[in-house]
Amino acid sequence: MAKIHVVWRGPVKRATGLGIASREYVSALRKQGVNVKVNTGESSRYTKKDGSKKRNVLIYHLLPQKLNMKRERKQFDRIILNTVWETTRIPRSWFPKINQFDTVCVPTTQNKIALRQSGVKVPIFIVPHGVHSEKFKPGNKKYHLPIAKGRFVFVSVFGFQHRKNPETLLRAYWKEFSANDKVLLVIKTNGYTRHETGQWIRNRIESYKKRLGFSKKTAPIVVITEHMSPAKLKGIYTLGDVFVLPTRGEGVGLPFMEALSSGVPVITTGWGGHMDFLNHGNSFFIKYKLQKPQISMNSKHAIARKFRSLFSGKDQRWAEPDLISLRSKMRFAFHHPRICKVKGKQGRLDMKKLSWYRAGAALKKIVGMKKI
């Protein structure tokens, strides 16, 4: 693709899932032989050379409403939005800018449906995320946690926000299991601001437990909040017998892919972007109903950051997982470790087909297209 010059503008330095995806897409494109220059700001100083036969393409991996389209049209022949969303509709603030892009790339079918239902008219292509199956694998050394010995371990990896639904996970675990059950719930999580420290998160969880009336003698939970090296994070997955997250909505769900690649099956809500790669062969699905995000946000059970400005649109819906269904799936997994192993093996086989190289090949085709 010598005749095409690509500028990737996105959060490549962030430690979030979005940042990971941004870095991986850039790397995957380069492995496909695409000339990519990375720009992390809201604009670039790139200048289109008069008379140049090269086509200049901008791939924008930030919030669409922040782009100065008029200015960028002077620099680029084609402007592509790479985005992701977690509810049935995108925020109204994304309009009218989003239909000014030439093309939109999203990672899953749910994303495409949400954009179309929201009124996006420009071409939309699915460019899936990938997982490094050579890094996330069943043989990885388990995270050292003495209390896990002899117990069936549930693991969960997520940011401490309302969409991830920590309160329902905690309530299901406390209600379904007692101190007499040989189980353990390990939560790897983080806050989003300076004051949302590990102690702040633990205080929120403990306060919620007291509010629900549970005694101190409940099934044990380990909450890990410190920054973790990639090697240790890989060990969190292999520590588990099953990965559990009753999410209300996912654009993709990278931890699901990493868990499956590690040979660990998934318990999660049966709705969202993750349904492109989760199936009954590798997962257990929680029943749900679609509802307005404000309903759960205004509930007495809400304990985590809400991001209300993003998820409170008039027509937005997300999934509300059923507590009884979650309890049932967790209990079933606990009593059937062999079935968990079978699903985990299938998940490993499924994830070996979903590489970032495959994602780069899909994106390369879109980059090479002329305006549609």
Side-chain angles (χ1 to χ4, degrees):
M1 300 189 71
K3 294 183 178 180
I4 297 179
H5 182 274
V6 176
V7 171
W8 182 280
R9 196 175 304 158
V12 295
K13 294 183 179 180
R14 294 183 194 171
T16 61
L18 192 66
I20 293 171
S22 215
R23 290 191 294 276
E24 293 292 353
Y25 276 129
V26 169
S27 176
L29 276 175
R30 286 174 173 167
K31 288 177 180 177
Q32 293 290 332
V34 180
N35 178 19
V36 184
K37 177 183 178 182
V38 174
N39 176 263
T40 58
E42 293 297 333
S43 63
S44 67
R45 296 178 181 178
Y46 182 77
T47 303
K48 187 191 295 186
K49 295 180 180 180
D50 293 336
S52 173
K53 293 183 179 180
K54 285 190 176 182
R55 284 194 291 127
N56 305 311
V57 177
L58 172 65
I59 302 181
Y60 191 76
H61 198 207
L62 296 165
L63 296 178
Q65 75 272 21
K66 293 186 177 182
L67 185 69
N68 187 326
M69 190 67 72
K70 185 177 180 180
R71 180 181 61 200
E72 303 301 345
R73 286 295 180 193
K74 295 177 181 179
Q75 304 181 79
F76 297 98
D77 301 292
R78 193 151 172 256
I79 302 176
I80 299 171
L81 174 65
N82 190 313
T83 194
V84 64
W85 196 246
E86 296 91 359
T87 67
T88 57
R89 302 275 178 119
I90 61 176
R92 288 182 178 272
S93 62
W94 288 19
F95 290 96
K97 186 63 66 64
I98 198 167
N99 275 322
Q100 296 177 28
F101 285 84
D102 297 304
T103 303
V104 179
C105 295
V106 294
T108 63
T109 303
Q110 168 57 31
N111 294 173
K112 185 173 182 177
I113 292 171
L115 265 64
R116 283 287 181 241
Q117 288 183 160
S118 301
V120 175
K121 304 297 183 183
V122 298
I124 303 173
F125 296 94
I126 295 178
V127 180
H129 283 187
V131 63
H132 292 291
S133 58
E134 75 283 2
K135 295 180 181 178
F136 294 95
K137 54 189 178 182
N140 286 334
K141 183 180 179 181
K142 295 182 179 181
Y143 181 79
H144 181 64
L145 201 61
I147 193 177
K149 187 176 181 179
R151 296 178 183 272
F152 184 94
V153 182
F154 297 94
V155 297
S156 195
V157 178
F158 59 90
F160 199 70
Q161 61 166 297
H162 185 71
R163 176 171 59 83
K164 300 293 184 174
N165 202 5
E167 65 271 23
T168 298
L169 172 60
L170 292 165
R171 192 153 54 119
Y173 182 73
W174 286 326
K175 281 181 173 289
E176 190 60 35
F177 301 105
S178 72
N180 296 322
D181 292 308
K182 290 293 183 178
V183 295
L184 175 68
L185 173 60
V186 178
I187 295 175
K188 171 65 182 80
T189 190
N190 60 270
Y192 290 88
T193 64
R194 185 173 295 179
H195 83 273
E196 293 178 356
T197 62
Q199 190 57 54
W200 179 85
I201 291 172
R202 290 184 182 86
N203 289 344
R204 300 285 290 182
I205 291 174
E206 189 59 31
S207 175
Y208 183 55
K209 183 179 180 180
K210 290 180 180 178
R211 198 148 35 94
L212 292 176
F214 289 104
S215 67
K216 291 184 178 180
K217 294 183 179 181
T218 55
I221 295 176
V222 173
V223 180
I224 304 169
T225 59
E226 64 267 21
H227 177 73
M228 188 170 285
S229 68
K232 285 188 176 181
L233 180 61
K234 288 184 288 186
I236 289 289
Y237 291 115
T238 51
L239 177 67
D241 293 287
V242 67
F243 181 95
V244 57
L245 183 65
T247 179
R248 293 184 165 101
E250 297 291 326
V252 181
L254 280 174
F256 295 137
M257 302 181 82
E258 293 167 352
L260 290 178
S261 185
S262 303
V264 180
V266 167
I267 298 175
T268 192
T269 317
W271 182 87
H274 51 279
M275 295 305 292
D276 275 13
F277 53 87
L278 298 189
N279 54 64
H280 290 287
N282 60 36
S283 301
F284 305 91
F285 294 119
I286 308 163
K287 295 179 181 179
Y288 69 92
K289 61 181 179 180
L290 291 179
Q291 68 176 32
K292 295 179 179 179
Q294 296 95 317
I295 295 176
S296 59
M297 286 181 182
N298 296 334
S299 166
K300 65 180 181 180
H301 294 288
I303 62 173
R305 174 175 282 268
K306 300 181 177 66
F307 292 104
R308 193 181 287 269
S309 63
L310 293 174
F311 301 118
S312 296
K314 180 181 178 182
D315 299 318
Q316 287 180 317
R317 301 288 186 276
W318 62 19
E320 191 58 37
D322 181 78
L323 178 66
I324 295 176
S325 177
L326 172 57
R327 291 176 59 181
S328 173
K329 301 303 179 187
M330 294 178 76
R331 174 63 67 174
F332 183 89
F334 172 58
H335 283 307
H336 298 86
R338 289 186 180 181
I339 293 179
C340 289
K341 289 185 181 298
V342 170
K343 285 181 180 284
K345 287 180 179 179
Q346 183 59 53
R348 169 69 179 169
L349 292 174
D350 293 342
M351 291 305 101
K352 289 179 77 172
K353 302 173 186 176
L354 305 183
S355 67
W356 278 107
Y357 187 86
R358 167 176 170 264
L363 189 52
K364 179 181 178 180
K365 288 182 180 179
I366 297 165
V367 169
M369 292 178 180
K370 293 183 180 180
K371 287 188 179 182
I372 300 173

